[in-house]
Every structure is written in C-alpha cells, then in structure tokens.
Amino acid sequence: MAISYINTTEVEDISKDLISLVNELNTEINNLFTRFSEVPSITREWVGNQAQFYFQKVASDKAQYTDFIGKLRDIGYKLSTDVYEVQMCINKNNNIETQKGS
C-alpha cells in the first residue's frame, strides 16, 4: 500500500512528544528503582536478609525497563529522521515542479 498523504508537521510533533514522554518515563523508572534500593538500608521499611534478597531481585529487573525505554526512544528518533527525509523529498519535488512551471 502506497502512502498518499502525510502531515509531516504532525508526525514531527508526535516524534517530539514520544521522545519527551520516554524521557519522563525514564526519570520515573529511575526514581522508582532508586526508591526500591533504599528500602532495606536507608528508609528501612523492611529489613533483613529477605528484604535484601527481594530488592536485589527487583533491581535486576531494571535492565528490562531500561531496554524497553531505549527502544521506545529509538522509535521516536527514527520517526523524526524519517519525517525529515520525507519533508526533504517533498521540498525537492516541489522545487522541480516549480522549475517546470516557470
């Protein structure tokens, strides 16, 4: 299926929003895992060997979230790059058409 229409401004806005939201998500995930790491030793809501073990296991899950966030960020940047290339192609074609009409 061929693309017959694209609003490059809207797609660029979507990519910017996606990147911004991903950055916010990254901050929230980092804050969450920092909070988790503080439970057994700093805030001490739960202490002991089981608490240490549990929060070490939780900390190992952070890599999955970080990987997911990185992939979402890559999608945002790829979308931005692609829409830029589409806009350059449109501009080039418009310039060619303008020159033909002169």
Side-chain angles (χ1 to χ4, degrees):
M1 180 175 169
I3 296 174
S4 60
Y5 174 80
I6 182 170
N7 182 334
T8 56
T9 303
E10 187 174 333
V11 174
E12 180 62 28
D13 289 344
I14 290 168
S15 71
K16 287 178 184 176
D17 288 345
L18 177 58
I19 292 167
S20 176
L21 290 169
V22 166
N23 289 335
E24 288 178 30
L25 177 61
N26 188 53
T27 299
E28 292 299 320
I29 292 294
N30 284 332
N31 290 342
L32 177 65
F33 279 91
T34 297
R35 174 73 176 97
F36 286 157
S37 71
E38 293 174 349
V39 169
S41 57
I42 296 173
T43 59
R44 303 181 60 81
E45 289 96 351
W46 183 20
V47 296
N49 291 338
Q50 287 186 339
Q52 284 292 115
F53 175 78
Y54 177 78
F55 288 108
Q56 285 173 353
K57 288 291 256 183
V58 167
S60 68
D61 291 342
K62 184 179 178 185
Q64 292 176 352
Y65 292 98
T66 303
D67 185 49
F68 177 67
I69 289 167
K71 289 178 180 176
L72 286 175
R73 185 178 288 117
D74 290 346
I75 291 169
Y77 286 131
K78 177 71 170 136
L79 190 57
S80 180
T81 300
D82 289 352
V83 77
Y84 174 78
E85 290 175 7
V86 167
Q87 187 60 52
M88 292 299 102
C89 183
I90 291 169
N91 292 345
K92 183 179 176 182
N93 287 335
N94 285 341
N95 290 339
I96 291 170
E97 289 298 317
T98 301
Q99 290 171 358
K100 283 182 182 179
S102 299

